[in-house]
Amino acid sequence: MYMNRLKNIGNLWAAAGFMLVLYVFGCSKAQLPLTPEPGTTLEVIAITTGGANVDSARVFLNGQFVGFTPYENQAMQAGVHALRVMKDGYQVYTHQLLIEEDQDHNIEALLTPMPVNEGELLVTVNQDSAMVTVRDSQNSVIIQTEQRVSSHILQGGAYVVSGEKSGFPLVVKAIEVVSGKVTTVNLELLKPGTTPQAPTLQFSIQEDTVKAGTPFNLRWESNGHQVIIDQGVGVRGPNGSERMTSNVLGLKIFTATAYGDDNLVTERIDSVYVAANTSNPPPAPTLQFAIQEDSVTVGEPFMLSWQSNGSMVVIDQGVGVRGPNGSEKISSSVTGLKIFTAAAYNEDNMITEKKDTVYVAPKTATAPALTFEVLADSIVYGEPVTIQWESDGSQVVIDNGIGARGPQGSEEVLFHSTGKKTLVATAYGEDNLRTTRSASVYVKEAPMPMQPVVMISTTRRVTVNTPATISWVSQNADYLVVDYVTNPQGEGTKDITFSTPGIRIVTATAFNRAGYASASDTIEVVEPQVATVEDILISTQVGVRADKGAASMELQNAATFDVQTAGRYRLLAEVWYNSGDEQRNESFYLQIRDGSGSVKLPKNANAGNNKVVEDDPGDPHTVSQESGEFKLAVGTHAIDLYHYARISAQYPQFLNGPIDGAESVKVLGFKLVYLGN
């Protein structure tokens, strides 16, 4: 509307036959062609899947923005071109064009609606064979590609995009995909020490002065991607010429801006004076116009001031129409030299123009500030710990599977093994600058198991109508269920008589708030009388360690028991592996001494005269482990518990790495099963 008003004013001047005093910027003019060079026409329209036209979709040729749909270019060069059409709410349309000279090309870009709650990520990289990786907020890799241009439909949220290639520094950008929108990420891989250069630009107007309505010629040449010319000319290719006319009297200043890589720009200015067709122009209005500051930092305000005896003042660069006198603070988010032109108008539609400049300097990028801490020095396995962070960057990425987070926050973290845990947080700021902090917590072994423990033993074989004995013991149980037993206590025995032969499976289940545990045994009921020997159950809580000297590696009299029937017995240990996989050598072996102190060794030894029971990996748990077969006489006996570390030097075949820590072994009970003579 502002330009239309100027044109209308120019028409009034021409009709009134006024003349202006000529103000001309000194510049040399080169001879230019009066018409643009012939070319081939390209027309692009956008349509939906239902066939409706989509206006104002952005059109890109060879990666450079050239206009909106419906788009027309009458000077296309022959060859292969990359076309991209984008609009919020739709997926990106891409197409490779083969432009042939002297032919018209009409393209219908079919825009597909974006899926609900999803957005599109468009990634470009400036190097061939570069690996592009996209990670989600959990730091999981969801995309890897070596395409220079790739498009991906993703759920809305935070992501980290990186580009890497041998010989180039890693480039990382944190982005947010917005549902229904296209997010574009341009990865620029530059050799170390490479400094991007601003594009070159030559721009000139052939004529110094023309009469109102008489054509004049613009010409430009650049090695950038595109050139944008103000005064309503708009986006053009890097090289070209154009013929224009103006009915607005006075000095017309044109600014051409060439755009290169890394958003670097180059500006050039030239002017033409549009004179009236009469020789006695009325006086132009007076005008004083100034910018108070010479230079500011990007985003920092600067002051415009003006004073005129005209009716109004119009200021470019988006300021607009103002009164004849005033001042105004504005700011700019674009770096570089900014030229402002103020035009004063009087009642005779005469114009006076003044200009001034301000340099907008970029901010000095600094690494983001970051504090990161774990709010405990140590915790017990199974307990969460709170971490908290605060940064002035755009986001914080925390390792150990936590992922991308906002610049400030706190949350609870749960670890799946014991030992020292170190977390590393990285804050990302401008220009890919980052700051890293670390914090640690020690995860101690869990105490006695949270879940209940239960063991059961039954008479192996009985005759019909002869009592069979069920025995059980439990720990950490809120209540207990034992087959064939009413209201069982934490431990006990019960005689049960069966009137028919067959196999009976007897199960004991212990419950508490943490869960439950079950154990089963069988009773074989037969017709003929068969002599049986009852199992021996022993409940205890004993342990040995490997890190406090030889004395801590053995425990005499870990349990005692009486043998009523001589013969071979299988010894089973109920073991509590409480360290997860943090300790990898929770292995042990057992020996039995009779009342005279004579040592009984296992018949199925696997390490010299002893049977080593190997570590059972996994999360903390209990398990019944076969610990050897022993020949026992009638009388009182004692079980001695030894840590595997005691003989690992002589028999290293069961080692799972060096023994350099606690490597503790805990036993909660023993069971001896009679095998016969």
Side-chain angles (χ1 to χ4, degrees), residues 420-657:
K420 184 179 180 180
K421 307 297 177 182
T422 300
L423 295 174
V424 178
T426 303
Y428 290 84
E430 297 178 352
D431 298 328
N432 288 326
L433 293 176
R434 65 190 74 177
T435 300
T436 299
R437 296 287 185 268
S438 63
S440 301
V441 62
Y442 188 82
V443 182
K444 299 183 290 188
E445 291 183 0
M448 288 301 294
M450 296 293 293
Q451 291 188 331
V453 177
V454 64
M455 294 185 292
I456 190 170
S457 175
T458 63
T459 302
R460 285 286 180 270
R461 179 181 297 174
V462 296
T463 59
V464 172
N465 296 322
T466 300
T469 301
I470 301 172
S471 301
W472 67 91
V473 295
S474 66
Q475 297 178 16
N476 300 333
D478 293 338
Y479 66 96
L480 192 66
V481 175
V482 181
D483 292 345
Y484 305 106
V485 179
T486 302
N487 297 325
Q489 300 302 309
E491 61 179 288
T493 61
K494 178 75 173 182
D495 290 336
I496 303 295
T497 301
F498 299 97
S499 60
T500 58
I503 299 296
R504 307 297 196 276
I505 299 176
V506 184
T507 300
T509 305
F511 298 84
N512 66 14
R513 287 175 294 177
Y516 68 92
S518 296
S520 299
D521 210 343
T522 58
I523 301 173
E524 182 182 5
V525 182
V526 297
E527 291 291 354
Q529 183 75 25
V530 178
T532 60
V533 176
E534 303 297 336
D535 294 343
I536 301 172
L537 284 180
I538 308 168
S539 178
T540 186
Q541 292 186 24
V542 294
V544 289
R545 296 172 64 105
D547 62 341
K548 295 186 177 181
S552 69
M553 297 181 191
E554 63 180 70
L555 177 64
Q556 302 290 322
N557 295 321
T560 58
F561 61 95
D562 291 327
V563 174
Q564 303 294 330
T565 302
R568 292 181 298 109
Y569 285 83
R570 179 185 296 115
L571 177 59
L572 297 99
E574 192 74 12
V575 187
W576 163 228
Y577 295 102
N578 70 332
S579 68
D581 288 333
E582 187 70 21
Q583 298 179 21
R584 303 176 60 193
N585 289 286
E586 294 180 288
S587 305
F588 65 95
Y589 60 94
L590 302 173
Q591 293 180 358
I592 297 178
R593 289 179 291 107
D594 61 16
S596 66
S598 177
V599 175
K600 306 298 181 182
L601 298 173
K603 303 301 181 182
N604 54 345
N606 59 7
N609 293 325
N610 298 293
K611 176 177 174 56
V612 173
V613 179
E614 296 184 66
D615 192 357
D616 191 35
D619 292 336
H621 64 287
T622 59
V623 65
S624 183
Q625 297 278 48
E626 291 196 14
S627 305
E629 295 182 7
F630 296 84
K631 183 75 171 180
L632 302 178
V634 175
T636 300
H637 295 72
I639 299 174
D640 298 333
L641 174 62
Y642 298 92
H643 197 287
Y644 171 53
R646 194 168 179 266
I647 61 172
S648 62
Q650 294 83 14
Y651 305 100
Q653 62 265 36
F654 302 108
L655 284 174
N656 298 316

Side-chain angles (χ1 to χ4, degrees), residues 41-81:
T41 298
L42 170 67
E43 292 184 353
V44 180
I45 66 171
I47 62 173
T48 66
T49 53
N53 285 339
V54 179
D55 293 333
S56 301
R58 291 173 290 166
V59 180
F60 295 80
L61 281 175
N62 301 321
Q64 302 303 313
F65 172 70
V66 294
F68 298 91
T69 58
Y71 170 77
E72 180 177 356
N73 187 336
Q74 297 180 350
M76 283 295 296
Q77 298 297 317
V80 178
H81 300 267

